[in-house]
Amino acid sequence: MELTKQLAEAVLSADPLQDKRAVQMARNGLLDAAASALAAKEDEGIQKLMALVEQEGGAAQIPVMGKGKKVSRQSAAMLNGYLIHALDYDDVHSDVRGHPSAVIIPALLSQLTDGEIYGDRFLAAYITGVEVMARLGESIGKAHYERGWHNTGTLGAIAAVCAIGYLKQVSQEGLAKAIGFAGAQSAGMRKQFGSDMKPLQAGLAAKTAVWSMDLACSGFGGNDSVLDGALGFFSLYGDQELAESRLLEGYGSTWRIVAPGLWFKVYPFCSAAHHAADAILSLMKEHAALPEQVKQVDVIFPPGGDAALIERAPSNGEEGRFSVEYVIALAIFGQTLTLDAFTKKNIPTDMRTWMKRVSRGYDQTIEPHPDAVPKGRFTIVKLTLSDSTTISKRVDIPRGAPGFALSKEDIIQKLSSVTSASQAQQILQAVEEGNAAAYLKLLA
Amino acid sequence: MELTKQLAEAVLSADPLQDKRAVQMARNGLLDAAASALAAKEDEGIQKLMALVEQEGGAAQIPVMGKGKKVSRQSAAMLNGYLIHALDYDDVHSDVRGHPSAVIIPALLSQLTDGEIYGDRFLAAYITGVEVMARLGESIGKAHYERGWHNTGTLGAIAAVCAIGYLKQVSQEGLAKAIGFAGAQSAGMRKQFGSDMKPLQAGLAAKTAVWSMDLACSGFGGNDSVLDGALGFFSLYGDQELAESRLLEGYGSTWRIVAPGLWFKVYPFCSAAHHAADAILSLMKEHAALPEQVKQVDVIFPPGGDAALIERAPSNGEEGRFSVEYVIALAIFGQTLTLDAFTKKNIPTDMRTWMKRVSRGYDQTIEPHPDAVPKGRFTIVKLTLSDSTTISKRVDIPRGAPGFALSKEDIIQKLSSVTSASQAQQILQAVEEGNAAAYLKLLA
């Protein structure tokens, strides 16, 4: 049987609810996505997108998170996907090499126009979407991302269409065709990183999934083996041979939402600086040094481990999302590593001057921890104080990453930091009850 | 200067109206697109798409050709693009290796919400779109299509956004960003050939162009050098080095809508059978043989010249679009090679039996004509009659192809075959006057 049809069959016949850890992780994922979206509701990009959507018009079907307005199903998938990913505060997954929940969750929420309460099947559909996206990420090969594709965009539509297929229990033929429509519309470029278009690429993948399933359900004609053969999706975007051996291997026995698992972000900045953040906060807890007492800070990575941290002397908080120097300075100056520190607001001159005391170094002789996240990564933060004593801390697995997962309480705290405690509790209750419609309504 | 910005500058500073042949070709292109779309108005796929668009809702802004209904600008670009390409009756361009007008024209028509009569600037914008799409086709390299990309889809969005940029005279920075949004959403797979999704890929490229320009004009953040560098569009989809040498070489000195030029289809079937159609019609004019008088038909191609003609024993007219056997049988049975012969209706048994008399052959010793269209192609049709005399005809350039262009009268005749003579005359008048708004209104 062909790969596309096999994927459709595997998706429809598995039962993710058998794995209670997967179900719990899915609940946490819904809470974390809600927190990530609400954190972004004042974002400038979303205002522009909503104005464009309004200009096109459309039925008032599904709410845009935190915005008090309903838009059409496809537009809602796009806007909610954008919102969840807007601040890069949403979960990541190492197999995906991207952001699964920002695509899967909005695509599923846009199905909730029928008033049906899907219960735990909604969670199972979400687990399915993450599973397929992780498997696509592994099957497409490392070169895909390296060449410049944005995995969240290029893999998201097929994954989300599988999640919808599970939720709606469509036929195998229908799902195979929907995969084909999604595959033939898959896009997204890393060249757009650092612009509003990056999070929009997540939203567009979600929108494509909603539209592709609608096309399939309408009986519109399409190819049902788009993942197969020399002209197929994997040949075009990646590695056909790898996909044939990996895509479906052991599907349904374990769930990738659990292992390697979602990484929920504790801090609203680039994950490459999370290790250093944990380290400096831990050091500051033990030795509450003042800025003037710190002569020098050395931050040691494995070679290339700081590639994503492109800002060494940021001028505002938004640039500071990609600066380990700024993150360390905030901690030393006694400020919290929360959203308000990472806006367009200028960084005060004294802090910018102080940041020059931070140096980066690389050490390839240090053995990474076998469970390091990401693989091969570590960060050592070493403070040299004015009396020339030194204190240092090494972190291999940052808080929130698989292996050091956030507790549900941590995630509720993240949620409470962007909305009222009572709303956070209501959202939690909806998620515990598997009531996706109530969840969506609370986020409206 | 970077390629993306250079393209934007070249597009905005050229003046296509200086070339009167280009302007005339653009007028013919508008007439041909109208004929192609109206020919498809009873297509089943368009009904399904319109139902889906209705389900999403949207403002009544731009008419869907031949359907008596207005939809939102983006939806209209999609639906009109689908309609023009639905029957594969629309123009092709050898540099594009695909269908430029099915993307460029609908994207431009969706700009006509402001009541402005753009006059000849509309034609100039269309010439610009074809120009950019042809240059992208050449610059992306042959391997792009061969690997499985559908050029109409993958190159159409960037080309159409350049056409819109010219029409609306946006800023260079705005157009560079719009190219970036379009590039990062470019998609389309040949794997979808033979399904409704093929023409939809043309429509989706048009829709992406409309949306991308709207994003750019709204101030939404995006990268303005998406065509450049190791992670750029050409690196990902094609050949960066080729693009850097070819994309802008001599931009604005001659126009590719003229040379190599648009190929307008005389017949509503696969262009690979057009040479044989011309040959058999010419033979039948000279020797009106009856089916029973024809013992054998040999059709000789260069090796691989019939690759697209995948049906040797079609059972209905739709399959017959890809069958040289069926095309020859129609002519021998005295039927016209018009739309009604290429529907889902079954082919009569006597004709299906007769088709077995047609054999295909290949001859690599025959020298192709230097101006053959496509390059290297010829088709020889040889009839052996019941008295064993043989008559044969060779065609290198089919009617409608560049080098054997249709006259305006031919195109008006194509248009008149799908609508009333008086409407055809009105459409002609609107096109002659450069009144795009009137053209669109007549097609509503």
Side-chain angles (χ1 to χ4, degrees), chain A residues 131-369:
Chain A
E131 182 69 17
V132 174
M133 200 156 164
R135 285 171 174 272
L136 289 169
E138 196 188 340
S139 304
I140 204 99
K142 283 197 173 128
H144 179 76
Y145 183 89
E146 284 158 10
R147 287 182 56 212
W149 296 112
H150 178 203
N151 293 19
T152 303
T154 53
L155 311 178
I158 296 176
V161 101
C162 288
I164 298 171
Y166 188 93
L167 183 74
K168 299 180 70 131
Q169 295 283 302
V170 301
S171 68
Q172 193 223 41
E173 304 89 282
L175 182 51
K177 268 179 61 184
I179 291 169
F181 293 129
Q185 296 176 76
S186 290
M189 288 173 65
R190 277 173 59 211
K191 191 87 188 179
Q192 291 286 1
F193 280 19
S195 81
D196 291 346
M197 185 60 178
K198 189 202 177 201
L200 184 57
Q201 288 177 167
L204 288 166
K207 178 181 183 178
T208 296
V210 173
W211 161 240
S212 295
M213 184 56 83
D214 284 356
L215 274 174
C217 292
S218 80
F220 191 76
N223 186 288
D224 60 3
S225 61
V226 154
L227 305 183
D228 294 273
L231 300 178
F233 179 82
F234 289 108
S235 297
L236 265 182
Y237 292 81
D239 184 333
Q240 186 68 27
E241 215 175 307
L242 186 68
E244 281 172 7
S245 70
R246 293 286 182 79
L247 185 65
L248 297 168
E249 195 188 13
Y251 189 99
S253 54
T254 59
W255 296 94
R256 294 184 190 218
I257 198 172
V258 178
L262 295 176
W263 174 351
F264 299 115
K265 285 188 168 183
V266 185
Y267 311 114
F269 51 78
C270 178
S271 63
H274 283 213
H275 308 66
D278 282 355
I280 190 68
L281 290 177
S282 160
L283 286 172
M284 291 296 288
K285 216 177 214 170
E286 296 163 29
H287 316 261
L290 296 171
E292 58 273 20
Q293 293 170 331
V294 179
K295 235 164 55 183
Q296 191 180 327
V297 183
D298 293 287
V299 190
I300 315 297
F301 301 92
D306 65 333
L309 302 170
I310 53 176
E311 303 283 352
R312 287 165 186 258
S315 56
N316 63 46
E318 203 171 52
E319 292 172 12
R321 290 185 202 156
F322 300 91
S323 171
V324 74
E325 292 79 5
Y326 179 57
V327 165
I328 285 176
L330 284 171
I332 297 279
F333 277 68
Q335 296 186 20
T336 56
L337 304 184
T338 45
L339 288 162
D340 50 315
F342 297 91
T343 66
K344 285 193 201 307
K345 213 167 57 189
N346 283 336
I347 300 170
T349 313
D350 58 337
M351 193 185 282
R352 292 187 65 185
T353 306
W354 187 90
M355 276 193 261
K356 292 176 187 157
R357 300 186 192 188
V358 182
S359 304
R360 302 188 193 187
Y362 309 94
D363 192 333
Q364 60 184 356
T365 66
I366 295 173
E367 191 72 23
H369 190 280

Side-chain angles (χ1 to χ4, degrees), chain B residues 88 164 192 213 216-217 229 274 327 335 355 377 402-403 407:
Chain B
D88 239 313
I164 299 171
Q192 291 288 0
M213 185 56 83
C217 292
H274 282 216
V327 165
Q335 297 187 18
M355 275 194 263
R377 184 73 56 83
S407 65

